[in-house]
Amino acid sequence: MSLLKAVIKKLGIILLTLLLVSFAVYAAFELIPGDPALSKLGTDATPEALAALRHEMGLDKPFIFRYFSWLLSCLKGDFGISLSYGRTVSSMIISRIPVTVFLTLFSTLITVVVSIPVAVLMTKYAGRFFDRFTYVVNQLVMSVPSFFAGILFTWFFGMILKLFKPGGYVSYDKDLPGFLFYILFPSIAVALPKCAMSVKLLRSSILEEADKDYVRTAYSRGNSTMQVMYRHVLKNALIPLVTFWSMSVADMIAGAIVIEQVFNIPGLGRILLSSIQNRDYPVVEAVIMLIALVVVVMNLLSDILCKKIDPRLKS
Amino acid sequence: MKILSVKDLTIEFHDHKLPERAVEKVSFDMDEGEVLGLVGESGSGKSLTAMAIAGLLPRKRLNAFGEIIFEGKDMLKIPRSELRELQGDELSVIFQEPMTALNPTMRIGKQVEEPLFIHHKELSDAERKAKALDWLEKVELHDPERVYHSYPHELSGGMRQRVMIASAMVSDPKLLIADEPTTALDVTVQAQIIKLLLRLNLKQKVAILFISHDLSLVKQISENVIVMQNGSIVEKGKTKDVFDSPVEEYTKKLVAAIPEVRF
Amino acid sequence: MIKTVKKLFEKYKGFNFCAGLIITAVIFLIAVTGIFYTPYPSTAMNAALKNAAPGAAHIFGCDNYGRDIFSRVMEGIKNTFFISFFTVLLGSVAGMILGAVCGYYGGKLDNILMRLNDALFAFPSILLAMVIIALVGPGAFNVVLALGIAFIPSFARIVRAEFKKQASLDYIAGAKLMGAGDIRIMFVHILPNILPVLISSVMIGFNNAVLAEAGLSFLGIGVQPPEASLGRMLSEAQAFLFTAPWYAVFTGLSIALMVLGFALLSEGISEKK
């Protein structure tokens, strides 16, 4: 019963958040000076044609009315028509979603899969050479922005080692393995700083857990150091990391949007950028709403995952 | 039959600039099925002695010298792997803080079973579970099946200490080290746990090394007692003798400090 | 002056602090020098030096127009440094006021504002800044505005939590009994107590600002040419990666160094003994 209540409350918060974001986004673009009808027809349009178009676009209706009709059509998957391309926004976006999703997914996966063993090894040799060395490398990696890492990768792996062809993007619907391989390098570039941060967080989390009483109990039962780590410490140490990772997904999307420019990948980033430069608001609104949805869902997911790992949170 | 023999046990901190002795030349023996009380104030070295016997001294910070012969093996000299084979199997420990001594994210059942999982790989999952349930019942927990599937935070302090005892006893150890097992509990729960330990001693023939700062508790539970002060033994003998006619000044003071309960 | 520096060093002896301080000091010196002096005019083109390799005259080499990369990096550092500085100033002051009011008074307003704040906080700040830039257009001033606004939620969140914690402590009740007004309590009594938290979040915020500014300029929606900016230089350098890799390497490294210096410094301060 209380679980159901918690779920309903959480869902309510999610809907409210999305509503708030949508309102903020829509209102923000309303505030911009300028008349979309005017910019569409040009300054030499007749007042009658202008009025007719304004009526057709619904611009003569009050703001709140326009907001809700926009929201309603958004819910149906209709984000309007691009101002600069004349196509429906959804048709422009939909084929690009998988590209950015794959990039984000890859980066998140790399972050999680790499940071756990590195942090475990660091704590195993805490205070010794491997720990200190990795700590320094970690600090350096944290400071390299992913787009610079991407450029270095292009230069080193693409141009010198010729592991991949810089700019030679292959679409996922033509050659999936080729696409995945091409996307690997940008994913690593996006993952690197987050990975370094995860290692740092997890290292201190593990060291903190290792000092707790239950660890001594585990040793007293005859567990070896590694058994204590994998059976007891790691799970407890991962709890704060789950929250960090789920919050990072939003940053990974942002990272993906930037890295797409480095590796010449036609994903959501490309379209968002060009629509920002062209002030193509329906497209910007749609992409933002999409990202907001992902952010909110990830938030929910991390909540559920945390409760799964940490039974204390259930009550 | 002797099961434990401690000879000239000395423990030094070596992470300080000057090595500092926390325990100095402690020697005593324990027989099979004996209940031995180890009393002293905090800082007297009683807990360090117990941890040394249990093989749980943090080796990075502490050095231990002397001999601790258990099951014919010197606990201070044998390799870690051999030590681990004894820990949780022949020799178990229960700790002071039942609130934090259990892993918060692992079900009670899994924690009670863990010694079997480590030391008795020949048992099937079902056999392990049956043993764990049996022990949860033996430590007088109601509804063992429910407790088995609970998490530590769902149980009270007294229940958790019972769980700790079940987990310590599940592999039928010869020696149980109880390090201030009742200090963190209410007085009524304290009495129940003491009674439980005594019953286990009678039925299972497990020897208990009972560490406490509370003399009245030690008086209730142990036949023999060792009094420690500043890392050394000041007096040892039959509990009755030591309490009725203490020889050393320090013991006299301790005995005099026991509050008398009148009804 | 020397004495205070000495004292500081004694207080935070760690390697992180010293290394961070040295790097940050160098960056700061370059940023300040960049205001009135660069070895070459940063926009002076020289066709003979197109993509020239690093040498004695041009230690970082020259770009595709034959401009001295070191001079441009200097100017880029200056721009990034001051943009980040004002961004953090805007974000932290606004966030502090918002967080202080919400945390101190609590209630319905706090509830609504914080709900909105959480929604914004979950959003990557660079994306938020991109939306604002879509509204107001690119340029150095707008970048400060956009990033500054985008950083408000994170500061507000931290300050609010601290204020909430402090407002319930005894010394505040005492100050109230002595007749201190709310404003006085907020800024004279509570603020000094949350300074350590504030300082560390300002330092982290500065780093995020450097990264975000570089990112926006890299995408072409930040600082506009002819002003030099590290992000934009990096995106230009990408086209000449094969013929003049030093262009990208030196530019990127200076961004990384800026971030590293501040990261080490804040690390060093937080690990004091």
Side-chain angles (χ1 to χ4, degrees):
Chain A
M1 188 57 218
S2 66
L3 191 74
L4 190 72
K5 232 178 176 174
V7 169
I8 289 173
K9 195 178 163 200
K10 193 82 207 170
L11 278 176
I13 289 176
I14 285 182
L15 286 180
L16 197 74
T17 309
L18 283 178
L19 207 68
L20 263 169
V21 172
S22 71
F23 184 79
V25 166
Y26 193 79
F29 287 106
E30 277 292 315
L31 283 175
I32 310 277
D35 184 341
L38 191 70
S39 58
K40 203 165 185 180
L41 288 178
T43 38
D44 48 350
T46 61
E48 293 80 32
L50 208 59
L53 186 66
R54 287 178 66 93
H55 182 72
E56 192 192 311
M57 292 171 83
L59 290 172
D60 51 351
K61 304 240 173 57
F63 166 72
I64 281 294
F65 183 86
R66 272 178 290 141
Y67 166 66
F68 278 110
S69 68
W70 171 76
L71 192 66
L72 262 173
S73 45
C74 276
L75 289 177
K76 287 185 220 148
D78 171 17
F79 292 95
I81 290 164
S82 156
L83 296 180
S84 37
Y85 296 98
R87 293 167 55 196
T88 58
V89 174
S90 42
S91 74
M92 287 167 65
I93 286 181
I94 206 128
S95 64
R96 293 169 178 242
I97 292 176
V99 180
T100 306
V101 165
F102 264 116
L103 258 174
T104 311
L105 218 66
F106 254 41
S107 321
T108 312
L109 214 68
I110 292 168
T111 305
V112 173
V113 170
V114 173
S115 62
I116 294 178
V118 172
V120 167
L121 275 178
M122 279 174 89
T123 53
K124 189 179 172 188
Y125 300 109
R128 307 244 287 276
F129 175 75
F130 177 79
D131 182 36
R132 282 156 189 268
F133 179 75
T134 317
Y135 190 87
V136 173
V137 171
N138 218 32
Q139 193 70 263
L140 292 177
V141 169
M142 235 184 284
S143 309
V144 176
S146 52
F147 50 90
F148 180 45
I151 289 174
L152 289 181
F153 284 2
T154 314
W155 178 54
F156 189 72
F157 295 115
M159 291 173 175
I160 294 183
L161 297 183
K162 299 203 191 313
L163 284 181
F164 69 100
K165 193 166 152 260
Y169 170 79
V170 248
S171 175
Y172 60 93
D173 46 7
K174 288 204 185 78
D175 173 14
L176 190 64
F179 164 78
L180 290 180
F181 182 71
Y182 186 79
I183 241 175
L184 184 66
F185 293 94
S187 303
I188 295 174
V190 172
L192 271 180
K194 283 287 165 196
C195 195
M197 234 175 271
S198 307
V199 167
K200 194 175 166 187
L201 278 175
L202 187 54
R203 178 184 177 274
S204 67
S205 178
I206 289 176
L207 288 179
E208 196 180 306
E209 285 297 321
D211 258 351
K212 293 202 171 153
D213 283 355
Y214 70 84
V215 173
R216 195 174 54 171
T217 309
Y219 276 116
S220 83
R221 291 184 186 137
N223 278 300
S224 68
T225 312
M226 280 292 112
Q227 283 169 326
V228 169
M229 173 66 82
Y230 290 111
R231 226 178 275 158
H232 295 275
V233 173
L234 195 55
K235 193 178 171 191
N236 285 294
L238 279 175
I239 293 168
L241 265 294
V242 170
T243 316
F244 174 75
W245 284 328
S246 70
M247 275 173 60
S248 302
V249 170
D251 289 335
M252 301 271 193
I253 297 176
I257 280 171
V258 180
I259 211 78
E260 280 170 14
Q261 310 315 308
V262 179
F263 286 85
N264 205 17
I265 298 169
L268 279 179
R270 177 77 65 75
I271 214 165
L272 178 65
L273 208 61
S274 69
S275 53
I276 284 176
Q277 277 158 342
N278 300 332
R279 300 194 155 205
D280 194 344
Y281 303 137
V283 182
V284 179
E285 284 165 353
V287 175
I288 295 299
M289 285 311 294
L290 214 65
I291 294 171
L293 184 72
V294 174
V295 167
V296 169
V297 168
M298 283 317 297
N299 228 315
L300 181 71
L301 219 64
S302 94
D303 265 22
I304 294 172
L305 216 63
C306 272
K307 279 189 182 139
K308 199 107 193 139
I309 299 180
D310 190 351
R312 283 165 296 185
L313 292 174
K314 267 187 201 131
S315 45
Chain B
M1 252 300 264
K2 246 197 269 180
I3 62 156
L4 177 73
S5 161
V6 178
K7 230 176 267 161
D8 291 337
L9 176 66
T10 300
I11 301 173
E12 277 179 358
F13 283 97
H14 60 73
D15 58 347
H16 301 350
K17 275 190 183 133
L18 291 169
E20 195 179 313
R21 291 209 165 165
V23 173
E24 192 151 15
K25 301 222 176 227
V26 165
S27 306
F28 63 90
D29 296 327
M30 265 182 92
D31 287 335
E32 264 178 18
E34 179 187 346
V35 180
L36 176 65
L38 189 55
V39 282
E41 326 161 290
S42 57
S44 62
K46 58 186 192 311
S47 273
L48 276 179
T49 306
M51 288 305 114
I53 297 168
L56 292 175
L57 281 186
R59 293 194 178 181
K60 275 183 192 150
R61 297 177 49 232
L62 296 162
N63 267 346
F65 315 99
E67 273 182 359
I68 299 173
I69 312 284
F70 175 74
E71 294 270 286
K73 288 171 180 161
D74 187 345
M75 303 284 280
L76 294 176
K77 307 243 161 41
I78 53 174
R80 283 216 86 119
S81 56
E82 256 179 82
L83 185 65
R84 281 203 298 271
E85 276 169 30
L86 295 172
Q87 287 174 325
D89 193 24
E90 300 292 325
L91 169 141
S92 296
V93 192
I94 53 177
F95 298 98
Q96 182 172 351
E97 284 291 338
M99 307 308 265
T100 52
L102 289 165
N103 183 343
T105 59
M106 197 187 243
R107 286 186 200 278
I108 296 292
K110 286 275 157 293
Q111 304 197 46
V112 173
E113 276 175 32
E114 198 177 16
L116 297 176
F117 186 81
I118 295 168
H119 300 289
H120 298 277
K121 299 234 186 274
E122 73 281 0
L123 295 178
S124 70
D125 288 358
E127 284 170 311
R128 269 201 291 273
K129 185 177 176 184
K131 271 204 155 196
L133 284 173
D134 181 40
W135 266 103
L136 287 174
E137 186 141 25
K138 276 190 191 153
V139 296
E140 294 151 10
L141 281 163
H142 301 291
D143 202 353
E145 189 72 39
R146 192 183 60 80
V147 173
Y148 184 91
H149 291 286
S150 308
Y151 285 100
H153 73 278
E154 294 163 332
L155 307 180
S156 70
M159 286 166 88
R160 286 188 223 186
Q161 198 58 292
R162 287 172 195 274
V163 167
M164 280 297 291
I165 296 172
S167 156
M169 293 298 298
V170 75
S171 53
D172 279 318
K174 294 213 168 64
L175 174 63
L176 175 68
I177 297 173
D179 184 10
E180 304 244 10
T182 59
T183 308
L185 303 173
D186 291 344
V187 183
T188 44
V189 184
Q190 219 171 48
Q192 291 167 3
I193 297 283
I194 296 288
K195 274 184 198 148
L196 175 64
L197 286 174
L198 278 173
R199 260 201 299 282
L200 290 176
N201 171 249
L202 270 175
K203 275 193 196 156
Q204 312 292 328
K205 305 277 180 266
V206 62
I208 299 178
L209 180 61
F210 188 89
I211 293 110
S212 180
H213 66 278
D214 188 340
L215 280 113
S216 54
L217 276 180
V218 174
K219 212 170 155 185
Q220 285 177 44
I221 196 169
S222 59
E223 309 138 50
N224 298 309
V225 68
I226 295 175
V227 182
M228 279 183 78
Q229 185 196 17
N230 294 334
S232 313
I233 294 179
V234 288
E235 195 159 352
K236 61 179 165 183
K238 291 257 174 245
T239 311
K240 207 172 162 311
D241 300 343
V242 171
F243 279 89
D244 290 349
S245 49
V247 182
E248 296 292 320
E249 202 54 40
Y250 179 68
T251 322
K252 279 180 191 160
K253 273 190 205 155
L254 278 181
V255 172
I258 300 177
E260 262 182 59
V261 184
R262 290 206 181 92
F263 293 98
Chain C
M1 178 71 195
I2 295 169
K3 237 184 182 171
T4 35
V5 171
K6 234 182 182 172
K7 250 190 191 161
L8 264 175
F9 266 102
E10 251 154 44
K11 198 167 167 196
Y12 309 104
K13 261 177 212 152
F15 168 81
N16 283 341
F17 181 78
C18 297
L21 194 69
I22 290 167
I23 296 174
T24 310
V26 170
I27 294 283
F28 181 73
L29 219 66
I30 290 176
V32 172
T33 314
I35 301 175
F36 45 82
Y37 170 79
T38 49
Y40 297 86
S42 65
T43 47
M45 303 184 196
N46 185 344
L49 289 169
K50 261 187 194 175
N51 289 333
H58 300 274
I59 54 171
F60 284 3
C62 291
D63 71 359
N64 50 314
Y65 294 112
R67 295 176 295 196
D68 178 46
I69 292 177
F70 183 68
S71 302
R72 293 187 61 74
V73 164
M74 268 182 86
E75 198 170 298
I77 287 179
K78 179 201 82 184
N79 284 336
T80 304
F81 190 89
F82 287 108
I83 287 177
S84 305
F85 177 78
F86 286 113
T87 297
V88 173
L89 194 69
L90 175 64
S92 61
V93 170
M96 203 178 70
I97 293 171
L98 190 70
V101 169
C102 283
Y104 185 73
Y105 291 108
K108 269 217 175 85
L109 181 80
D110 171 44
N111 237 327
I112 295 168
L113 279 177
M114 279 304 129
R115 181 74 52 235
L116 185 72
N117 203 46
D118 282 350
L120 287 177
F121 178 72
F123 229 71
S125 50
I126 190 167
L127 278 183
L128 214 57
M130 281 167 88
V131 176
I132 299 170
I133 290 206
L135 295 170
V136 296
F141 180 75
N142 289 347
V143 168
V144 170
L145 189 72
L147 283 177
I149 294 174
F151 280 175
I152 292 176
S154 59
F155 283 112
R157 210 175 141 99
I158 293 164
V159 173
R160 175 184 172 269
E162 287 297 313
F163 261 76
K164 221 172 169 99
K165 206 158 65 185
Q166 298 281 338
S168 62
L169 295 181
D170 282 345
Y171 78 98
I172 296 306
K176 270 185 190 158
L177 276 179
M178 297 188 14
D182 285 350
I183 301 286
R184 191 179 158 80
I185 289 178
M186 271 154 62
F187 293 100
V188 178
H189 293 271
I190 300 182
L191 195 62
N193 284 307
I194 68 164
L195 226 49
V197 181
L198 207 61
I199 286 174
S200 86
S201 60
V202 160
M203 289 186 129
I204 295 166
F206 184 85
N207 266 353
N208 288 337
V210 169
L211 288 172
E213 191 278 326
L216 288 177
S217 306
F218 179 78
L219 294 176
I221 54 176
V223 177
Q224 295 300 303
E227 285 237 56
S229 97
L230 295 175
R232 183 170 275 275
M233 285 164 70
L234 204 51
S235 86
E236 280 166 13
Q238 226 196 320
F240 306 95
L241 203 49
F242 196 69
T243 44
W246 50 84
Y247 188 7
V249 169
F250 284 128
T251 314
L253 274 185
S254 43
I255 301 175
L257 218 58
M258 263 177 112
V259 175
L260 181 68
F262 250 81
L264 288 177
L265 202 58
S266 66
E267 182 98 335
I269 287 177
S270 63
E271 75 187 11
K272 67 171 176 217
K273 282 176 192 135

